[in-house]
Every structure is written in C-alpha cells, then in structure tokens.
Amino acid sequence: MNDTPGWASPGSAPSGAKEPDTSGTPGPADQDGANPPEQPSKWSKEQPPPGQWSAPGAQAPPPAVPGPGRGGRPSGGQNGGYGGRPAPGQGGPAGWGGNWGHQPAAARPGVIPLRPLGVGEILDGAVSTMRSYWRTVLGISLTVAVVTQVAVILLQGFVLDDSADTEALNDPSATVGELTRAMGSTLLSSGLVLLVTLLGTIVATALLTSVTSRAVIGKPVTTSEAWRDARPQLAKLFGLTLLLPLIAVAIMGAGALPGLLAMAAGSHDGGIALAVLGAFAAGFVALWLMIRFSLASPALMLEKQGILKSMRRSAKLVRGSWWRVFGIQLLATIIANIVASIIVIPFAVLAAALSGDGFAGFLDSSGGNLGWTFLIVSGIGSVIGSMITFPITAGVTVLLYIDRRIRREALDLDLARAAGLQDYGTEASNTSGTTPGS
C-alpha cells in the first residue's frame, strides 16, 4: 500500500464481489461456525443485589456486535451499515436512547469523506480539489488550454481560412461540385479543430485524474509528478477516447441503415422516416453504452488497465446504478457548460464588436473568414472557460469512479490505509450507537 494511484489496483477487491448482506438473516459466516448465532441466555447462579437492577425502559442498549459487514464495519442499513441506522425490522425501543440514528463521523483525510458519497459531495469534492491544489490544477488546465487554443487559432487563421469554398453553401446557384467541395472543406475544418481540442482534453483529463486521486487521500502532487504518472497511459487513453465515439456512431449508423437501404430502393419518404426512427432508437442504445463505459477513463488511468479491460471494468462498476451515474454526469456537464458559456459568450460578443465588420457582420458571415481580432479575443475566453471546466468534468468522473468502488469494494479502507489511517476499519466496528449485528 502506498500513496500513489496504485491504490486502485483491481487485485484487492474484485468488482463483482457480492454486496454485504444487510437483510438480517444469518450469512455463510454464521453457518460455518465463524460467527455462530447467539445462544439462548441461561440464568446465572449469582444474581446482582436488587438495588443494581435498572428501572424498566431505562436499560442501556445491548452492546454492538460486529456483523459480516465489510472490513469490520457494522452491518445493517444500506451500503453495509453506513449511517448507523438499524436494518429494516431491527429498530430498537424508544427508551433505548438516541444513538440508533447516530451516524459516526467518517474519516476525511482529503477532499471527500471516506464513505459512499452524495451528489453534492461529489461536486464539492471536484471544487475542493481546485481550491486546495489550485496551483497544480489551474496550472495544468491553463497550460493545456493555452496550447490547445493557440493551435486552433493558427489552424483557423492560416490553414482553414478559405471563405471561397464555404460561401458556396449559401449560394443557391452553386453546382453540386461546389457544394461537395464546400462541405468537404467544412468537415475538414471542424474535424481538425475537434481533433486538436480532443488531444488537449485527453492530456488535461489524464493529469487531473492523477491530481484528484491523490487529493482524495490528502496527498499533494506536482505537475511533473502527475505527468510522470500519466504519460505511460496517454496512448491508451487516446485510443479509448476515440473508440467510444466511433462505437456510438457505428450504432446509430446501423440503426439508420434500413432506412437508407429503403431510400436507395426507391422508397424516398418511407426510407427517410425509417432512417430517422432507426437512428433515434439507436441513439438510446448508444447513450446507454456510453454511460456504461463512462468510468473507463479513470479505470484506465488509475488501475493501469488496457482499453478493453477498462471498458469492462467500467461496465461492472456502473451495473445496477446506471441512472445515478447518468444523472451525475449529466448534471456535471450542464454545470460545466453553463460556466463555460458565462465566460465564453461575453468574449465572443466583444470579439465580434472589435472585429472589422462588427457584430452584425459576424452574424451575417459564413464563418470562413473571422479575422485575427475575433480569433484572438474569443480564444482568450475559450482558454479561461477551459481552465475552469477541465477540473470540474475530470474531477466529477474520478470521484464518481471512487464512489462506485467504495460502494462495491470497500475502497475506502484502502484509501484510509494509503492516507495513514491504520485503524480506520477497526474503529468503525467499535463505535457506539451502531446497529447490532444479525
């Protein structure tokens, strides 16, 4: 055990491990004698004096008995007894005091408590990482955003500045050849810009994954250390990031294929309707798969997995919690886009106002010749927006991955040991007010 991202090595607890039994019925440990059921009590020959008997209704609760929870944690309740609540049907009498609803304080060596996380705690953990390690986080985000945006500006200013082809898209008298060249030029421009942006996002995600994983256990990391740890996995992360959209496109293409074949056979209207319906249905399948594989990136980076193994790992972690993962990812994406829009839109308006044709000229233009003033000013806004949104999206994904492993594999015990909390699991089982074992 060490303080590197190796704590996420999948060898310690398989993802398919069975969840702890909280139903209150005897488990396998009870049946083989390791944790025998409580025998009926017998009257002792030596009874206490009458003055030591407690008044009815004022007796103390029975001592907590560690159940078959994970790592010595008390059993009962959801997620292996977190929250210290009685399991269904095990509520104590009202006169037994208020400790039955008591939640023991979880250890918090870093930006999150070491227990299953709520939605707010995941978002707060991503922001806390930015706030606590702002030099490293913002330094990585700013460097990647500047390099990426400079490359995009140079591409748009020198290589992709061909308004002659793109103007054909707005010309009703343009020939088929001119329209084809215009569409090809537009697709090439968009593809190159998307590729450069994608490369920057991959590098930022890889470095920030390492930073966030250390922040969970309160271990700071420098930019050079993050780069040294992430560099061996960058090629695999690039392949994973390209593979997932290709899978989604292939699924949607397969859904639209029957409609396209019907159009080729001469059924134009029916073919269009069938193609749209098929692509729409396939879009839901693609979305389902993308959420299933949404935790593949942190699995690949932290567990040093291959591309396919990280995808299978993500599918196991998301299993049974698809809607929760989808909702958190969607919420994080909405928040990141809102923050980016608040920053980028004013810079785009300012860039249009400072350009030669003004804002009206920008709205009327075809986008082929934006001018250096517009590119530079709007690029500054994009850099600032990316500097803030990179840590949010990367941090939420990493913390969601850690939350799923805490819930399924008791990763918090490994994290506590990596943070130097050697007695974390033992102390939890002896905490007063926990639910008695079954």
Side-chain angles (χ1 to χ4, degrees):
M1 187 55 57
N2 50 46
D3 59 359
T4 67
W7 50 255
S9 176
S12 58
S15 176
K18 185 178 180 181
E19 296 287 346
D21 184 13
T22 62
S23 62
T25 58
D30 298 326
Q31 298 173 6
D32 61 9
N35 195 9
E38 186 179 356
Q39 298 296 329
S41 59
K42 298 181 179 180
W43 290 104
S44 174
K45 295 181 179 180
E46 298 181 1
Q47 296 297 327
Q52 296 185 12
W53 287 101
S54 301
Q59 63 269 29
V65 180
R70 301 181 304 226
R73 291 199 194 104
S75 62
Q78 295 180 352
N79 301 319
Y82 282 100
R85 302 181 184 88
Q90 293 182 352
W96 280 16
N99 284 335
W100 287 93
H102 174 68
Q103 178 175 354
R108 184 167 181 160
V111 296
I112 59 170
L114 298 185
R115 56 171 171 74
L117 304 174
V119 177
E121 290 172 326
I122 292 176
L123 297 175
D124 179 71
V127 176
S128 296
T129 302
M130 295 176 57
R131 184 173 61 250
S132 301
Y133 306 98
W134 63 271
R135 289 185 179 87
T136 302
V137 172
L138 296 185
I140 291 173
S141 301
L142 179 61
T143 301
V144 174
V146 168
V147 173
T148 301
Q149 199 60 40
V150 167
V152 169
I153 291 174
L154 293 178
L155 277 174
Q156 291 177 330
F158 289 109
V159 180
L160 307 178
D161 185 20
D162 189 1
S163 59
D165 286 340
T166 56
E167 287 178 355
L169 295 174
N170 299 325
D171 187 3
S173 61
T175 63
V176 175
E178 292 175 341
L179 290 175
T180 303
R181 286 193 301 271
M183 293 182 63
S185 177
T186 302
L187 291 176
L188 177 63
S189 301
S190 302
L192 289 176
V193 171
L194 180 61
L195 179 61
V196 172
T197 305
L198 181 63
L199 289 174
T201 302
I202 290 172
V203 174
T205 300
L207 298 177
L208 293 173
T209 296
S210 179
V211 174
T212 305
S213 66
R214 303 286 187 90
V216 169
I217 56 177
K219 304 290 184 180
V221 58
T222 63
T223 303
S224 60
E225 291 173 342
W227 170 253
R228 197 161 51 244
D229 183 72
R231 182 176 57 187
Q233 296 293 104
L234 280 177
K236 295 179 181 179
L237 183 60
F238 178 74
L240 174 66
T241 309
L242 287 181
L243 178 61
L244 294 181
L246 288 178
I247 292 176
V249 171
I251 292 175
M252 295 187 67
L257 182 61
L260 297 177
L261 293 177
M263 291 174 61
S267 178
H268 183 73
D269 294 338
I272 292 178
L274 184 60
V276 172
L277 182 61
F280 187 74
F284 284 100
V285 178
L287 176 63
W288 180 79
L289 281 178
M290 292 304 101
I291 298 301
R292 293 265 294 180
F293 298 144
S294 62
L295 303 183
S297 172
L300 183 144
M301 294 301 303
L302 297 178
E303 301 181 13
K304 311 303 180 186
Q305 298 272 23
I307 295 176
L308 296 181
K309 288 184 177 180
S310 65
M311 293 170 65
R312 288 195 294 266
R313 182 81 168 127
S314 174
K316 289 181 179 180
L317 292 174
V318 175
R319 182 183 304 157
S321 190
W322 189 93
W323 283 106
R324 184 174 187 273
V325 174
F326 169 72
I328 294 176
Q329 294 277 32
L330 178 62
L331 179 61
T333 301
I334 292 174
I335 292 175
N337 287 334
I338 290 176
V339 172
S341 299
I342 292 174
I343 297 173
V344 171
I345 291 177
F347 275 90
V349 173
L350 178 61
L354 295 177
S355 61
D357 296 332
F359 188 68
F362 165 70
L363 294 177
D364 294 337
S365 67
S366 61
N369 186 11
L370 298 176
W372 285 104
T373 301
F374 180 87
L375 292 176
I376 293 174
V377 175
S378 62
I380 293 173
S382 298
V383 167
I384 298 175
S386 299
M387 185 176 63
I388 296 177
T389 56
F390 277 159
I392 293 177
T393 55
V396 167
T397 302
V398 174
L399 294 178
L400 186 55
Y401 159 84
I402 292 175
D403 170 68
R404 292 304 305 156
R405 288 201 61 188
I406 288 177
R407 293 173 182 269
R408 294 183 64 91
E409 304 172 359
L411 179 66
D412 52 329
L413 300 179
D414 291 334
L415 293 175
R417 286 191 289 268
L421 306 176
Q422 300 299 332
D423 298 330
Y424 173 72
T426 305
E427 291 178 354
S429 63
N430 297 325
T431 303
S432 61
T434 54
T435 304
S438 57

